[in-house]
Amino acid sequence: MTVRPNSIASRDVAYVVHAYTNLRRHEQDGPMMITRGEGIRVYDENGKEYIEGLAGLWCAGLGFSEKRLVKAATEQMEKLPFYHTFASKANEPTALLAEKLVSHLPKPLAKVFFANSGSEANDSAVKMVWYYNNALGRPEKKKIISRQKGYHGVTIAAASLTGLAYAQTDFDLPIKNIIHTGCPHHYRFAEPGESEEAFAQRRAKELEDMILAEGPETVAAFIGEPVMGAGGVIVPPKGYWDAVQKVCRKYDVLVICDEVICGFGRTGNWFGANTLNIVPDIMTMAKQLSAAYLPISAVAISQKVYDVIADNSNKRATFGHGYTYSAHPVPAAVALETLKIYEERDIVSHVRRVGPYMQEQLGKRFANHPLVGEVRGVGLIAAIEMVADKKSRALFDPAGKVGAYIAARATEHGLIVRPLVDAIGFCPPMIITEQEIDQMLDRFAKALDDGLAFAKSEGLAKAA
Ligand SMILES: Cc1ncc(COP(=O)(O)O)c(C=O)c1O
């Protein structure tokens, strides 16, 4: 791509440090400039139309043109454009948002702290867990167990929780007291012939062994996404969360549920915790909380955790945590309106209708494709994993080349999807219709065939 001098793209290349980008390659290739959105689609600077197959970054659940959210933001901007929650200050949208959120949260979650991103929410959760155990006079009980391939963000603690090398390499992470247990991906990690249930029990046993090896008196919490997102859209095997929670309860280990992707209808229930029967002590949320129209995240805690923290804040004269923009009234107003829209349009029922359709079509159309190893997902989140050899499930070498190629071809065919190494993630705006799902998959089918031709020409796929 040639970047025209004096264009917006050339200014981008000149001045912007991009997130999760090969910065040198970006200097050469230039940006993909998105200029507007409508429904499930976005348009680039040349007017080319794309279906947003990942709802941006798993976040724009109501698509890209919801006028009610614009109105909610504008009205709040006019009334009170900023205020904070330090030293007992409060604002109306935040109080109403917290109340509505709690009405939908699984028990025993009862109180909500607000932040600005999923990473901040997870960092806040970690700090709360440490504060909680210090308050209880258990200064040793600090370790947090996360999982390989889990994604929890990029701030210091969140990136440490993330179990993917790219978030840690050369950043001197993870920090101490954060350790990782195995990924619950049956297709990839089960022994030959091992059932889902047996694999789930094995993973739970490994967790228990880890807690015992570390010393239960040193392990404070376990964190997991109900369904892993960025790690490859991994739906855990049957019985996994039941078994894991049993282990956590046995050793007084708090369960933190990261709902940053799964929350707000994505899996066909209000929360992934509902879908997978998780009873969290702490839950983190972001993204679809405001349909991504403005940044806001939340940490919900149980009354039990809250009471310990509140008592300690009384002892210390303050709960010494909070961001300038915690509970900013404008994103709070937008999030409140988002939740009202989810309720009024019954987004959960919509996902329950179209989600199974998407999963079924993905399976029907692609499971037998020579490049496809596994089709997996739940609700309106899914992934297709490509493999070098369908029979042995061998990974591509080098990893990621085929996935990146297919995602790039999908863009050419008018579909934005995310390569997750050699899997392709699907997480379209939740307002998608069955007809739009068909269109999305038609575009993907072309990209997948391009990928097969590419894998053949590069000698990467055995089946090819
Ligand atoms: C499950 C999960 N947790 C946390 C985060 C971090 O959120 P943010 O990028 O808003 O910091 C993400 C981001 O994709 C995520 O998928």
Side-chain angles (χ1 to χ4, degrees):
M1 173 179 170
T2 322
V3 178
R4 282 178 289 119
N6 206 28
S7 62
I8 301 292
S10 72
R11 289 166 191 167
D12 172 89
V13 169
Y15 301 115
V16 178
V17 179
H18 278 255
Y20 276 117
T21 296
N22 176 334
L23 300 175
R24 289 290 181 225
R25 196 178 318 145
H26 179 74
E27 290 167 13
Q28 288 172 4
D29 295 351
M32 176 183 183
M33 193 71 70
I34 300 297
T35 53
R36 70 184 185 90
E38 204 176 318
I40 64 157
R41 293 159 210 274
V42 293
Y43 297 80
D44 71 15
E45 58 184 335
N46 301 313
K48 183 173 158 72
E49 166 261 333
Y50 304 87
I51 292 176
E52 234 309 347
L54 208 86
L57 289 170
W58 330 78
C59 55
L62 291 173
F64 296 88
S65 52
E66 180 48 65
K67 297 282 182 287
R68 278 178 62 177
L69 300 184
V70 179
K71 189 160 172 269
T74 314
E75 284 178 3
Q76 185 57 44
M77 285 278 240
E78 279 166 358
K79 200 167 164 193
L80 181 70
F82 171 74
Y83 222 75
H84 59 85
T85 44
F86 284 43
S88 290
K89 302 295 185 296
N91 64 66
E92 187 180 320
T94 297
L96 297 179
L97 172 63
E99 180 187 49
K100 187 170 278 304
L101 203 47
V102 169
S103 77
H104 287 289
L105 288 171
K107 300 269 165 309
L109 301 172
K111 301 265 185 183
V112 189
F113 170 84
F114 289 100
N116 309 284
S117 67
S119 300
E120 281 183 5
N122 283 327
D123 266 52
S124 298
V126 168
K127 285 182 71 183
M128 285 179 185
V129 167
W130 290 343
Y131 193 83
Y132 169 84
N133 277 312
N134 284 327
L136 287 175
R138 315 193 290 198
E140 294 299 307
K141 202 167 172 70
K142 292 291 162 55
K143 289 176 193 158
I144 303 195
I145 301 181
S146 185
R147 299 174 301 171
Q148 285 147 15
K149 292 195 179 229
Y151 190 90
H152 300 289
V154 296
T155 45
I156 301 286
S160 298
L161 296 171
T162 292
L164 295 158
Y166 57 66
Q168 300 183 343
T169 306
D170 295 336
F171 289 114
D172 293 353
L173 297 173
I175 53 172
K176 76 168 180 150
N177 283 335
I178 294 184
I179 49 181
H180 294 84
T181 187
C183 168
H185 188 187
H186 182 265
Y187 173 79
R188 198 38 78 202
F189 301 117
E191 303 292 349
E194 192 177 29
S195 69
E196 280 196 38
E197 289 85 349
F199 175 58
Q201 293 302 326
R202 178 157 66 82
R203 281 294 188 238
K205 170 82 170 49
E206 285 164 7
L207 174 66
E208 180 161 20
D209 290 347
M210 180 178 256
I211 293 171
L212 290 171
E214 296 289 333
E217 71 289 355
T218 72
V219 180
F222 173 83
I223 184 167
E225 303 151 81
V227 174
M228 282 182 171
V233 186
I234 293 157
V235 184
K238 281 189 205 85
Y240 173 80
W241 272 106
D242 287 343
V244 158
Q245 288 179 95
K246 216 164 139 192
V247 170
C248 291
R249 304 290 172 229
K250 186 167 167 191
Y251 298 103
D252 194 12
V253 168
L254 296 172
V255 173
I256 309 173
C257 193
D258 180 338
E259 295 266 1
V260 169
I261 287 181
C262 293
F264 308 101
R266 179 56 67 187
T267 65
N269 284 293
W270 267 85
F271 294 97
N274 307 124
T275 304
L276 290 154
N277 283 325
I278 306 170
V279 182
D281 301 288
I282 299 178
M283 183 190 273
T284 54
M285 295 151 269
K287 297 189 189 271
Q288 295 194 144
L289 168 57
S290 62
Y293 277 45
L294 282 176
I296 183 167
S297 65
V299 186
I301 55 178
S302 66
Q303 190 68 39
K304 180 181 126 191
V305 172
Y306 170 80
D307 283 336
V308 173
I309 289 177
D311 284 348
N312 206 49
S313 77
N314 194 27
K315 189 167 137 199
R316 302 280 178 216
T318 189
F319 173 54
H321 183 71
Y323 306 95
T324 299
Y325 303 132
S326 281
H328 190 299
V330 183
V334 169
L336 179 60
E337 190 69 2
T338 301
L339 299 193
K340 285 183 187 165
I341 294 172
Y342 292 157
E343 285 173 353
E344 286 166 27
R345 297 191 195 151
D346 195 0
I347 200 79
V348 165
S349 295
H350 176 73
V351 173
R352 282 194 193 169
R353 243 185 340 267
V354 300
Y357 180 76
M358 182 178 90
Q359 305 294 343
E360 183 194 291
Q361 289 301 310
L362 281 167
K364 264 193 194 155
R365 296 181 64 162
F366 305 116
N368 292 325
H369 190 280
L371 222 47
V372 172
E374 189 187 30
V375 179
R376 52 182 182 255
V378 59
L380 270 180
I381 182 167
I384 289 194
E385 181 166 334
M386 284 80 65
V387 287
D389 179 13
K390 221 172 156 77
K391 199 154 167 245
S392 71
R393 304 182 178 184
L395 298 165
F396 290 107
D397 184 15
K401 211 170 163 183
V402 171
Y405 182 83
I406 291 175
R409 292 304 301 159
T411 305
E412 287 299 312
H413 295 303
L415 169 65
I416 298 178
V417 280
R418 172 94 171 263
L420 309 164
V421 195
D422 286 310
I424 294 287
F426 294 86
C427 184
M430 294 189 293
I431 53 170
I432 197 166
T433 62
E434 294 185 356
Q435 205 184 0
E436 288 168 332
I437 288 171
D438 289 342
Q439 214 179 0
M440 174 172 84
L441 301 188
D442 288 347
R443 294 179 187 189
F444 176 70
K446 290 186 202 161
L448 187 60
D449 286 343
D450 293 344
L452 181 59
F454 173 75
K456 270 184 191 166
S457 70
E458 300 274 311
L460 289 170
K462 196 170 172 195

